[in-house]
Amino acid sequence: MSVSVELLRDNVEPEDVALFSTFTISATAWLLFSTAVGVLLSFKFPYPDWATNPALSFGRLRAIHTNDAFYGWASVALSGAALYVASRTSGIPVAGKRFAWGGLALFNIAAILGTITLDMGINNGDQEYREWVWWVTAVFLLAVIFTFTALLTTVAKRVEREIYISNWYTLGAFVFTILLGITAYIPVYQRGLGQVAVQAFYMHNAVGMWFTFLALGVTYYALPKLLNRPIYSYALGVLGFWTNLFFYPVIGAHHYEFTPLPWWFQTLAIVFSVGMLVPVWAGTGNFFLTMRWQWETVRRSYALPFIVVGVAYYFLGSTQGTVEALRSLQTIWHLTNYTVGHSHATMYGFITFIAWGAIYALLPRATGKRPPVLATGLHFWLATVGVTAYVVFLSVGGTEQGLAWAAGDPFIASVEAAAPYWAGRAVAGLFMFLAHVIFAYNVFMMTVGPSRESDRYERRPAPVQST
Amino acid sequence: MNNVWVLVIAAGAIYGCFCILMGVAPGMILSHTPPVAGLKPLTAAEARGRDVYVAEGCSYCHTQNVRPLVQDKVFGRPSVGGDYAYDTPQLLGTERTGPDLSNIGARQPSDVWQYIHLYDPRALVHESIMPRYTWLFQVRPSASAGEITVPLPPGYAPANGVVIATQQAQDLVAYLKSLKQLPLGTVK
Ligand code: HEM
């Protein structure tokens, strides 16, 4: 067997291996839970009478699905990867490990408390992605601050001179999220329409300034590592960082077009949504140019296909977001299931795939245990087919809803028009969930599972990071 | 860049400005939007009903915002900022799986209709996918004086006993009935 670059094992101290493994295992548990809830929700559309009881009702579980997928799965998976990347690119073990462990514990406490309170109907006024009541979010923010402390000390103590671009993005993500979380929970400027404005700001920043930055950060490390060639353009990476920071915070009001929010405020959001093309194309262009002429490597790798799909969905989903923001199209698509399709194109197609790509790329280097090839392939295809079917079903179904409204049909016509697509989405959801079960098995094999002699990684000195 | 503190502080300062400019300032200004003429704060029962609405997450399927578009005419007049003066938390919503409810109190003023619909939406609208909210009701052998019984059509009523609206259901219906758009008239 020829040993490709992907098979080299990093020289990592055992506690860092344990740290990365535990973050990943914890995140995986929340992925399973939150998407089991997602599947249950999606079956409530074709079978609305199924599981009629308060604890399993749509209105409560929906917030549990989104918050646990966000804060239990994606946040923790990407934070674990970010810490690992910081230590690799800094040339030292993770510093401030006690903060990292503490952060992980707090992430879990927040997600557990959040799930329980939401299921009891205790929430922060149905404000999407900040449904957790303030004291649960306080625990979450403490987790972010703890993890940030570990990340920051690691980068501050680095032996490399330059701060590698990945760390710009991940450090940024933590700083922004701390500021955003505080802004979102101070109540004094959030009455009536004022709260609509804050919600608009919050809602898109929670995804944009946290998940997007984290995912881009780990991609800037994992991708060149897997291909064994430097990133195509460091400058494009820097450009992407600053332009994301300048455009993202302004686009939130595009969730509230045609509301009483000041018209110019909505227009500003639309203009900046078009501006978002700059960081999106800078990022995706940079990634695809890094991959150029390496498709054979991509095909043979088990981690790279996830990153390819992730970057492709980043491009498609974000470009779609810009198009969706235009008023002419919003008259049809706004408030329909088209938006839910978009959310999954981005949070699943982009963020979740990048998290998987990073885990498959980096975790085996830390633990020296590779996931089984067949299972990884199955995970990839089930998830890719599943999410693509999901997005297509809801894009078509959402368009039908919008057209039924525009045609002036009675409301129930839009429910009937979307019904077959909702059923299709539920089946797609099952594919995705099955993929997650396989992923969980792979995580087990990469961490605590038995090490298979033939798959042992060669131990080599840690490669020096070239920047 | 090789000074991590400069990076973190610069990025944080820039983003902090955005938080103030795009979050706090619009929030502060728009929080002072005056109510439309004649708008009254909710009564105690209506406010409790609103809490039920929030706890059950009705707003994930129902908007409370009529857009200035032809397809929204069925739901009422376009919403204005003053409609929301007493509306905290805001419940505009971003998804319209079910109809907009800004003016449901005028469109569907019947208590009985609302109770039946909450107990089993399919008893009234066969193709509906709205969940049943049976836990806002009690099924008992018989009702005592002063209790509200829900007259369900045959086939939807429980085999034996009567369905009684709990205080929560009564509050929720009071809230739904309070959702009436006021005419804009001279003030805007
Ligand atoms: C098995 C996989 C999944 C299934 C079956 C699923 C299903 C659903 C369903 C049924 C809804 C409610 C839609 C509605 O209200 O009409 C939803 C909403 C949502 N889900 Fe998922 N989901 C899955 C995975 C994920 C993951 C992994 C994430 C994020 C990392 C995610 C993020 C979201 C978001 C953000 C929303 C809110 C959408 C919006 O308001 O536009 N989902 N999902």
Side-chain angles (χ1 to χ4, degrees):
Chain A
M1 196 172 96
S2 67
V3 178
S4 76
V5 255
E6 203 171 313
L7 299 185
L8 291 179
R9 182 168 178 185
D10 291 339
N11 201 350
V12 188
E13 66 171 53
E15 195 180 349
D16 282 8
V17 177
L19 193 63
F20 190 14
S21 302
T22 318
F23 264 80
T24 307
I25 292 169
S26 158
T28 308
W30 284 106
L31 175 69
L32 284 175
F33 175 73
S34 66
T35 57
V37 173
V39 171
L40 201 151
L41 285 174
S42 62
F43 274 95
K44 283 189 170 253
F45 284 78
Y47 303 107
D49 285 332
W50 183 51
T52 294
N53 85 51
L56 296 177
S57 69
F58 185 90
R60 298 189 191 182
L61 288 186
R62 190 191 193 271
I64 292 180
H65 166 61
T66 52
N67 284 278
D68 286 347
F70 275 23
Y71 307 124
W73 151 245
S75 301
V76 176
L78 289 169
S79 294
L83 282 172
Y84 189 75
V85 168
S87 119
R88 295 287 90 208
T89 53
S90 302
I92 56 163
V94 174
K97 279 199 233 306
R98 249 183 297 163
F99 283 100
W101 286 114
L104 179 60
L106 290 168
F107 275 125
N108 279 288
I109 293 170
I112 290 169
L113 290 177
T115 305
I116 295 172
T117 47
L118 288 181
D119 209 36
M120 291 165 60
I122 303 169
N123 68 46
N124 183 36
D126 291 355
Q127 308 297 302
E128 266 179 283
Y129 320 138
R130 48 174 179 153
E131 280 105 337
W132 286 353
V133 285
W134 68 268
W135 46 271
V136 175
T137 297
V139 177
F140 177 80
L141 282 182
L142 212 56
V144 173
I145 292 169
F146 270 49
T147 315
F148 175 60
T149 309
L151 191 74
L152 184 64
T153 18
T154 308
V155 177
K157 287 185 176 162
R158 73 192 177 283
V159 292
E160 306 289 333
R161 207 179 73 85
E162 287 270 318
I163 304 172
Y164 184 62
I165 188 74
S166 286
N167 301 319
W168 289 47
Y169 279 91
T170 54
L171 284 169
F174 282 88
V175 176
F176 305 147
T177 303
I178 295 163
L179 293 170
L180 178 66
I182 295 168
T183 309
Y185 274 83
I186 297 176
V188 288
Y189 40 78
Q190 304 199 38
R191 287 198 313 277
L193 194 60
Q195 194 180 37
V196 180
V198 178
Q199 174 62 10
F201 175 72
Y202 172 77
M203 181 166 186
H204 217 117
N205 279 225
V207 288
M209 305 307 285
W210 179 231
F211 299 114
T212 303
F213 271 80
L214 284 178
L216 293 178
V218 300
T219 309
Y220 270 108
Y221 176 77
L223 189 61
K225 197 81 192 169
L226 288 165
L227 291 165
N228 198 28
R229 58 158 38 160
I231 196 80
Y232 173 76
S233 161
Y234 201 83
L236 266 182
V238 175
L239 175 82
F241 177 85
W242 293 114
T243 46
N244 262 309
L245 175 53
F246 276 106
F247 288 119
Y248 234 125
V250 186
I251 70 178
H254 70 203
H255 288 275
Y256 287 97
E257 283 179 35
F258 301 111
T259 64
L261 283 182
W263 197 252
W264 65 265
F265 193 69
Q266 300 176 32
T267 307
L268 189 72
I270 299 170
V271 172
F272 274 70
S273 301
V274 176
M276 275 304 291
L277 291 176
V278 176
V280 169
W281 291 2
T284 51
N286 208 3
F287 295 145
F288 277 125
L289 283 166
T290 307
M291 288 184 246
R292 73 199 183 283
W293 318 136
Q294 294 283 323
W295 306 115
E296 191 50 29
T297 319
V298 172
R299 208 177 57 73
R300 276 191 287 113
S301 157
Y302 51 84
L304 275 168
F306 286 93
I307 296 187
V308 172
V309 170
V311 174
Y313 265 110
Y314 177 44
F315 178 80
L316 290 173
S318 304
T319 308
Q320 176 198 34
T322 297
V323 173
E324 240 183 304
L326 302 175
R327 277 202 181 100
S328 52
L329 294 169
Q330 282 246 324
T331 57
I332 297 298
W333 278 334
H334 194 35
L335 309 177
T336 71
N337 269 256
Y338 190 88
T339 313
V340 183
H342 169 73
S343 306
H344 289 82
T346 47
M347 277 306 295
Y348 195 105
F350 167 37
I351 301 293
T352 297
F353 267 77
I354 291 294
W356 285 329
I359 289 167
Y360 282 131
L362 306 178
L363 191 56
R365 286 165 192 276
T367 62
K369 295 180 201 165
R370 213 160 39 132
V373 178
L374 181 67
T376 314
L378 264 176
H379 170 196
F380 176 77
W381 285 111
L382 283 170
T384 305
V385 171
V387 69
T388 306
Y390 188 118
V391 174
V392 170
F393 278 133
L394 288 194
S395 304
V396 179
T399 310
E400 298 242 343
Q401 276 180 303
L403 292 176
W405 297 342
D409 296 343
F411 189 87
I412 197 70
S414 70
V415 176
E416 289 176 80
Y421 302 100
W422 282 329
R425 181 262 305 271
V427 176
L430 279 180
F431 275 61
M432 291 147 81
F433 186 71
L434 199 59
H436 305 165
V437 174
I438 298 170
F439 170 65
Y441 169 73
N442 285 342
V443 168
F444 171 78
M445 294 304 278
M446 287 186 282
T447 54
V448 291
S451 70
R452 295 166 302 153
E453 201 52 46
S454 60
D455 282 347
R456 279 268 179 74
Y457 281 43
E458 267 176 62
R459 248 193 194 283
R460 295 270 175 85
V464 181
Q465 183 62 41
S466 57
T467 48
Chain B
M1 173 94 56
N2 49 29
N3 187 327
V4 69
W5 302 105
V6 172
L7 176 68
V8 163
I9 290 170
I14 293 172
Y15 189 64
C17 293
F18 275 119
C19 285
I20 290 170
L21 268 173
M22 298 306 301
V24 177
M28 198 112 70
I29 295 166
L30 295 172
S31 285
H32 294 289
T33 309
V36 294
L39 188 69
K40 286 198 242 8
L42 297 182
T43 65
E46 291 162 0
R48 287 196 307 269
R50 197 172 194 279
D51 291 342
V52 176
Y53 187 96
V54 169
E56 297 301 347
C58 308
S59 69
Y60 295 115
C61 287
H62 290 288
T63 53
Q64 290 189 23
N65 172 53
V66 181
R67 301 174 295 172
L69 298 175
V70 268
Q71 55 260 60
D72 278 26
K73 279 219 173 98
V74 286
F75 298 127
R77 60 147 174 84
S79 303
V80 296
D83 291 338
Y84 305 110
Y86 302 120
D87 234 15
T88 309
Q90 58 89 15
L91 297 169
L92 270 70
T94 56
E95 207 184 326
R96 208 177 260 174
T97 304
D100 187 274
L101 298 181
S102 308
N103 203 26
I104 187 66
R107 196 160 68 242
Q108 196 51 269
S110 152
D111 289 19
V112 174
W113 191 94
Q114 295 290 4
Y115 286 129
I116 300 178
H117 189 255
L118 284 171
Y119 185 79
D120 191 344
R122 278 156 292 290
L124 295 172
V125 184
H126 187 257
E127 299 78 14
S128 178
I129 60 141
M130 174 162 147
R132 302 172 62 186
Y133 289 92
T134 46
W135 55 93
L136 301 179
F137 299 86
Q138 278 180 352
V139 180
R140 274 199 262 124
S142 64
S144 26
E147 286 184 329
I148 298 174
T149 57
V150 183
L152 286 152
Y156 292 92
N160 29 44
V162 290
V163 175
I164 292 163
T166 62
Q167 187 62 44
Q168 280 193 315
Q170 296 174 33
D171 293 342
L172 179 58
V173 169
Y175 170 63
L176 290 174
K177 285 169 65 185
S178 80
L179 293 173
K180 281 189 200 133
Q181 289 186 319
L182 293 168
L184 287 182
T186 46
V187 268
K188 168 111 201 172

